[in-house]
Amino acid sequence: MIAAMVQLAEATTIAAAMAASAAGWNAGDLDRFMAVYADDAVYVTARGVVRGKAAIAARYAPGFTGGGNTRGKLSFAMLVKRPIDATHRVLIARWTLTGKETQSGYTTLVFARRDGHWRIVTDHSS
């Protein structure tokens, strides 16, 4: 019972971090969007692997202009939340960008608990 309550609290905290990240995207605030990423995160895309929070931010930076994001409004639908071990969690979500056209896909995120916060250490989005 206590373990289930802890897992629920962790899932809620991770969902809140994802909502805050999306809010940063939608406000055109790159730092706020990136706050959920660990400094040593890796981001896997169709074009290859991007290593490190700074490099990931640089990849996203061109879309953050004029108080918004040129790619549209971002939202997440959480699909699967699963513990790996005491300090790691997996989140699978559907992302949606609504703008000139609607785009959607999936992301698999590995979170690590660091300094009292859940941070993305691996992001594979398609």
Side-chain angles (χ1 to χ4, degrees), residues 4-66:
M5 290 172 51
V6 169
Q7 284 184 10
L8 178 60
E10 290 171 348
T12 301
T13 301
I14 289 170
M18 293 302 295
S21 181
W25 175 284
N26 296 335
D29 185 339
L30 180 59
D31 290 337
R32 193 166 142 203
F33 169 68
M34 292 297 302
V36 71
Y37 284 85
D39 289 338
D40 61 342
V42 279
Y43 177 43
V44 181
T45 73
R47 297 182 194 127
V49 177
V50 181
R51 298 177 191 278
K53 183 176 181 175
I56 297 167
R59 185 181 182 285
Y60 279 115
F64 285 80
T65 61

Side-chain angles (χ1 to χ4, degrees), residues 84-105:
I84 297 172
D85 60 26
T87 60
H88 293 86
R89 302 291 180 265
V90 168
L91 170 66
I92 299 171
R94 182 173 193 82
W95 57 266
T96 301
L97 284 172
T98 307
K100 294 176 185 171
E101 62 181 60
T102 298
Q103 300 173 2
S104 189

